[in-house]
Amino acid sequence: MNNDYQRARYVNPYTDFGFKKLFGTEMNKELLISFINSLFNGKEVVKDLTYLNTEHLGARELDRKAVFDVYCENEKGEKILVEMQKAEQQFFKDRSLYYATFPIREQAERGDWDYSLKAVYVIGILNFNIDDDNGSYFHHEVQLTDQRTKEVFYDKLTFIYLEMPKFNKTEEELDGMFEKWLFVLRNLSRLLERPQALQERVFTKLFEAAEIAKFTKTEYEAYEESLKVYRDWQNTIRTAINKGLAEGREKGLAEGLEKGLEKGLEKGKNEEKRIIARNLKALGLTSEQIQAATGLSAREIDLL
């Protein structure tokens, strides 16, 4: 393990183990309630949560399976799905919409049913940006709206995306619980002590739960494995993309000199995807992971 991780006092919430320990366990439910309420900012107030099964199958045997990071419902029966996304995916928005279909469909009742649904919230904490055109705008709240009137057409389906790399406030700049939670998520694994700005009782519990030295032997081993997977995934994607960009651009620009720059650059982009996919395939990633990273189809990947 490198020195940065050796010195870490608190768990990395971007790892599967870290995120689920802080937000996906009954003993730390208070942390999840506080985070969600800070996100809703008074529009909704969650008093209690019940954790639900995170693994879901489609209606038929051959349907694709969905595994959520954290899935729960509040005291009103509204469904809340919270996902920590570590790396950018070509069809991330499509994936979010697909995941939202499970808490919608499972509300169907046998026999007579009037199609009345409870609200569904999909919350994505993203370790990447999905909107590079709007500077520091990082808090996206998406609902179905009428294009002409701009009014909300259906208020029971809400997608909330938080682009964490864009949140760069210092401890002294924090304003309110929502920003305090974002600060914690962004910086937890780099902190050596609890910041003075985070004096609320819920953060006392969070820092106690996050302290690596207090893990059991089993927890520590599980965290080490999860941390290794996280670092390997980050390094694999970064290496493959950098190599693909360099090779793809070189080939695309060479093609551009002969057949026109615009056409050559487009070919270069396609070649980048194929090179990245070949690199990921050689490193042993699954076809599904490669599809998510490059946007290529399963058939295109099989033919590489």
Side-chain angles (χ1 to χ4, degrees):
M1 184 183 294
N2 64 33
N3 290 335
D4 288 340
Y5 287 104
Q6 285 179 333
R7 289 196 300 266
R9 180 177 180 182
Y10 300 110
V11 70
N12 186 335
Y14 289 101
T15 62
D16 287 338
F17 176 89
F19 187 72
K20 289 175 181 175
K21 178 173 178 59
L22 297 179
F23 292 116
T25 60
E26 188 69 31
M27 67 180 297
N28 290 329
K29 183 167 63 174
E30 178 186 354
L31 305 181
L32 180 60
I33 292 174
S34 175
F35 169 68
I36 291 175
N37 280 333
S38 76
L39 182 58
F40 287 165
N41 193 29
K43 289 183 289 187
E44 292 280 344
V45 177
V46 175
K47 297 178 181 178
D48 193 19
L49 289 173
T50 301
Y51 287 103
L52 304 175
N53 182 17
T54 58
E55 185 170 315
H56 294 257
L57 300 174
R60 299 171 303 172
E61 184 177 352
L62 297 179
D63 285 348
R64 185 176 295 276
K65 180 173 69 173
V67 181
F68 307 146
D69 286 340
V70 173
Y71 181 42
C72 55
E73 68 177 15
N74 63 16
E75 67 280 358
K76 296 185 289 186
E78 298 172 335
K79 314 295 182 180
I80 304 173
L81 193 165
V82 187
E83 287 280 297
M84 172 67 83
Q85 296 297 325
K86 297 182 286 292
E88 185 173 4
Q89 296 183 354
Q90 179 84 8
F91 298 107
F92 167 72
K93 295 177 185 177
D94 303 67
R95 180 176 182 269
S96 292
L97 185 60
Y98 174 71
Y99 270 27
T101 65
F102 288 87
I104 293 173
R105 287 185 296 171
E106 71 179 14
Q107 296 185 54
E109 299 178 5
R110 293 183 180 275
D112 293 335
W113 178 46
D114 61 5
Y115 290 93
S116 175
L117 295 170
K118 298 290 187 180
V120 172
Y121 298 91
V122 179
I123 300 170
I125 305 169
L126 316 180
N127 196 22
F128 57 91
N129 296 336
I130 57 174
D131 179 12
D132 291 323
D133 298 327
N134 289 294
S136 59
Y137 177 56
F138 67 91
H139 182 186
H140 303 268
E141 187 167 322
V142 182
Q143 291 182 318
L144 294 173
T145 60
D146 186 299
Q147 287 295 298
R148 182 176 178 181
T149 66
K150 306 303 179 184
E151 294 180 353
V152 174
F153 173 75
Y154 186 74
D155 64 359
K156 291 184 181 180
L157 179 61
T158 304
F159 296 89
I160 300 173
Y161 301 125
L162 305 174
E163 296 173 283
M164 297 305 296
K166 291 183 179 179
F167 184 81
N168 295 305
K169 285 195 173 186
T170 65
E171 179 185 348
E172 293 72 27
E173 296 172 319
L174 300 179
D175 181 19
M177 283 295 289
F178 177 54
E179 291 189 355
K180 290 181 180 183
W181 269 111
L182 295 187
F183 181 84
V184 166
L185 291 173
R186 182 79 197 273
N187 299 290
L188 182 59
S189 62
R190 296 193 290 266
L191 296 175
L192 296 179
E193 59 184 16
R194 177 180 173 183
Q196 287 296 316
L198 308 179
Q199 292 304 309
E200 290 81 1
R201 186 179 64 83
V202 69
F203 292 121
T204 299
K205 183 163 187 175
L206 179 136
F207 280 95
E208 289 177 353
E211 191 164 358
I212 297 171
K214 295 182 179 179
F215 288 0
T216 65
K217 182 175 184 294
T218 301
E219 286 178 326
Y220 183 76
E221 290 174 350
Y223 175 55
E224 284 286 290
E225 181 61 28
S226 186
L227 188 59
K228 179 180 183 301
V229 170
Y230 170 76
R231 292 183 0 230
D232 286 350
W233 171 254
Q234 293 287 315
N235 291 333
T236 295
I237 295 294
R238 189 178 300 114
T239 300
I241 289 177
N242 289 340
K243 186 175 180 180
L245 287 173
E247 295 182 18
R249 282 172 181 163
E250 182 178 347
K251 188 168 183 177
L253 288 171
E255 181 75 16
L257 292 175
E258 298 178 6
K259 297 184 179 179
L261 184 59
E262 184 175 348
K263 183 177 179 180
L265 288 173
E266 183 61 33
K267 180 164 183 155
K269 291 179 182 178
N270 293 332
E271 185 64 23
E272 287 171 11
K273 292 181 181 180
R274 288 192 288 272
I275 293 170
I276 290 170
R278 279 197 292 270
N279 292 339
L280 296 177
K281 194 173 184 178
L283 289 167
L285 270 71
T286 66
S287 177
E288 185 176 86
Q289 290 172 322
I290 297 172
Q291 287 180 64
T294 65
L296 295 177
S297 67
R299 177 171 174 76
E300 288 175 310
I301 293 169
D302 289 339
L303 292 175
L304 293 174

